[in-house]
Amino acid sequence: MLRRPKSGCSWTAPVPQARLLRCSCTRARGPRAMKMHFCIPVSQQQPDALGGRYTLYSVYLDGFLFCRVRYSQLHRWNQQLRRVFGNCLPPFPPKYYLAMTTSMADERRDQLEQYLQNVTVDPNMLRSDVFVDFLKRVQLDTFGITTKKASLDIFLPDGRSIQAEILTSDTVERVLEVVSHKLGLCRELLGYFGLFLIRFYKEGKLSVMKKLADFELPYVSLQSSEVENCKVGLRKWYLDPSLDSMLMDCRAAVKLIYLQAIQDIEKEWAKPTQLQRQKLEALQKEDNQTKFLELSQEVQHYGYMQLDPCTCDYLEPGCGAILSVGNNEISCSITLPDNQTQDIIFQMNRVKCWQVTFLGTLLDMDGPQRTLNQNLELRFQYNEDSRWQWFVIYTKQAFLLSSCLKKMISEKMVKQAAENPEMQIEVPEQGKSKKYHIQQSQQSQAKDYSIFQPRKSKVKIAEVDCVLGNIKEEGL
């Protein structure tokens, strides 16, 4: 049985009519980690062995089915986390000892969704064994995969693959360690790289579908993705091109970002001028990787993440758009209805917040339904001409776009921290945390809401992310 959400709630931002989930953080407490894109769009009633029924919650992460769990499983997990972390955990929805009404069931699902989002804010919790072990177990159980030895092909930007001998229960963090050992990549540089689900097309094009979280199981994520010609790829995971300089002392790291630079130019994600292209081709023939990367810094959109063609409401509704995200900006090449093109750049320091919305309806709920990428929009509030306006982008990669925006903000915070050693903040990194400092008076770069909601559908998906600053809440 498909549970439907409540609707109707006011909020200060002009968003579509639907119930929105939100959270807040204050400057007094300093910047906090951003929430992950967890959501529970649906719950289903299942028969149990005793003739009764229980509710099974479908938990999605970044638009892909992550696991299916019962309330009792999450309740036990919360108790385990509370024994380790005490009262710093977010509130967990209470037990009901009588039969739940539909509205009570919807409220519980919403509360569980908020709990999953809020529990990911603390980087110490994300790295804890009790957190990771539970999520490993439910991922395996959901897709009926047992822990065993397996080979996983990890694709490099030049099309070659590395065969990693792993366990099916190995996390992204562990798989990256295996791959780094094979490549000779310095372990302290692992935080600059990530594993991605990438779809490859026959004509040579590729589409980055998702950045895998550190606690995800790459083998399971690939097996359960249901995306045609999908593979696990290794790419650098930073959007500030100047961070290349941090990798120059490691030959394997230089080789990886060099191969990705060549791929990005071949795929026209990076756009050199004719003169730049000639110089780069000459350096490539010489295999002068360092000079190639130095010159690449001057190339338009070098180090950016390019999304698939999509549509937007700027400058007119329904305009085609190609987005490139990086270097603290969203670069849009917009095609107008008369086929004229116009390039627009949105600077991240003028973005106040954003939200992701699911516009479609989940069909065939008895089937696997493992992706939510069919009808998504990302809208962001932008300061243009001293006025805050909402701009909407309709893209199946809305979750990836949101992750890129958060990454740019995180990198900006680190850079500001290095310049202003006044106040400590903690920025999560691959397998460890680093403490930085930032001025108390530093203004918020952006407040990130990622909210998943249907406008006219039977299902609701909601999630919120906060970065810095004060967020006013009303009608909660």
Side-chain angles (χ1 to χ4, degrees), residues 203-251:
E203 58 270 26
K205 295 182 180 180
L206 61 86
S207 174
V208 178
M209 306 299 295
K210 173 183 177 178
K211 161 70 171 62
L212 295 174
D214 288 351
F215 54 79
E216 282 191 80
L217 311 183
Y219 181 90
V220 176
S221 296
L222 180 63
Q223 295 296 318
S224 63
S225 68
E226 291 190 329
V227 177
E228 187 178 3
N229 296 323
C230 187
K231 301 174 182 178
V232 177
L234 176 67
R235 295 179 60 86
K236 67 182 183 182
W237 180 229
Y238 55 89
L239 295 168
D240 180 352
S242 68
L243 291 177
D244 279 1
S245 62
M246 304 297 293
L247 283 63
M248 288 301 162
D249 292 335
C250 177
R251 181 178 299 179

Side-chain angles (χ1 to χ4, degrees), residues 27 56 64 70-71 79 84 124 151 207 216-217 238 256 259 265 269 285 385 424 439:
R27 292 192 188 95
L56 195 63
F64 288 76
R70 298 176 62 169
Y71 171 87
Q79 290 178 321
V84 176
N124 294 316
S151 296
S207 174
E216 282 191 80
L217 311 183
Y238 55 89
L256 283 172
L259 293 176
I265 292 172
W269 289 17
K285 288 180 180 179
D385 298 328
Q424 284 194 348
Q439 283 185 344

Side-chain angles (χ1 to χ4, degrees), residues 257-272:
I257 62 176
Y258 169 69
L259 293 176
Q260 185 170 325
I262 293 174
Q263 182 191 58
D264 288 353
I265 292 172
E266 290 176 348
K267 304 300 182 186
E268 298 184 346
W269 289 17
K271 302 172 177 62

Side-chain angles (χ1 to χ4, degrees), residues 31-37 117-118 120-123 126 354 402-403 405-411 413 426-428 446-448 463-468:
R32 299 181 64 193
M34 292 166 281
K35 296 181 181 181
M36 306 192 74
H37 297 120
Q117 294 163 9
N118 291 329
T120 60
V121 168
D122 187 347
L126 287 174
W354 67 87
S402 179
S403 296
L405 302 185
K406 291 190 288 186
K407 188 65 174 177
M408 288 192 291
I409 290 173
S410 176
E411 291 171 358
M413 288 166 58
E426 190 171 356
V427 179
K447 307 162 194 169
D448 163 23
E463 191 269 353
V464 186
D465 290 314
C466 295
V467 184
L468 296 174

Side-chain angles (χ1 to χ4, degrees), residues 14-68:
V15 293
Q17 289 185 354
R19 184 184 180 281
L20 307 181
L21 299 186
R22 66 194 73 79
C23 74
S24 64
C25 65
T26 62
R27 292 192 188 95
R29 296 177 63 184
R32 299 181 64 193
M34 292 166 281
K35 296 181 181 181
M36 306 192 74
H37 297 120
F38 272 116
C39 61
I40 306 178
V42 292
S43 60
Q44 294 172 282
Q45 293 292 312
Q46 299 288 336
D48 61 24
L50 301 177
R53 301 185 72 82
Y54 65 88
T55 302
L56 195 63
Y57 298 94
S58 296
V59 179
Y60 285 71
L61 176 61
D62 292 333
F64 288 76
L65 180 62
F66 180 75
C67 67
R68 292 190 178 98

Side-chain angles (χ1 to χ4, degrees), residues 349-417:
N349 60 5
R350 295 167 67 183
V351 174
K352 181 180 181 182
C353 62
W354 67 87
Q355 63 189 37
V356 176
T357 305
F358 176 57
L359 302 174
T361 301
L362 292 177
L363 304 175
D364 302 324
M365 288 314 303
D366 293 332
Q369 276 300 322
R370 295 177 182 173
T371 62
L372 299 176
N373 291 336
Q374 301 92 334
N375 297 293
L376 294 169
E377 73 170 32
L378 183 144
R379 59 176 56 213
F380 61 94
Q381 196 173 18
Y382 191 76
N383 191 334
E384 185 176 56
D385 298 328
S386 300
R387 293 186 300 113
W388 290 105
Q389 300 183 58
W390 285 93
F391 298 105
V392 184
I393 299 166
Y394 303 94
T395 170
K396 64 181 180 180
Q397 294 167 298
F399 295 101
L400 177 65
L401 175 56
S402 179
S403 296
C404 290
L405 302 185
K406 291 190 288 186
K407 188 65 174 177
M408 288 192 291
I409 290 173
S410 176
E411 291 171 358
K412 185 68 172 179
M413 288 166 58
V414 173
K415 184 173 289 189
Q416 291 172 336

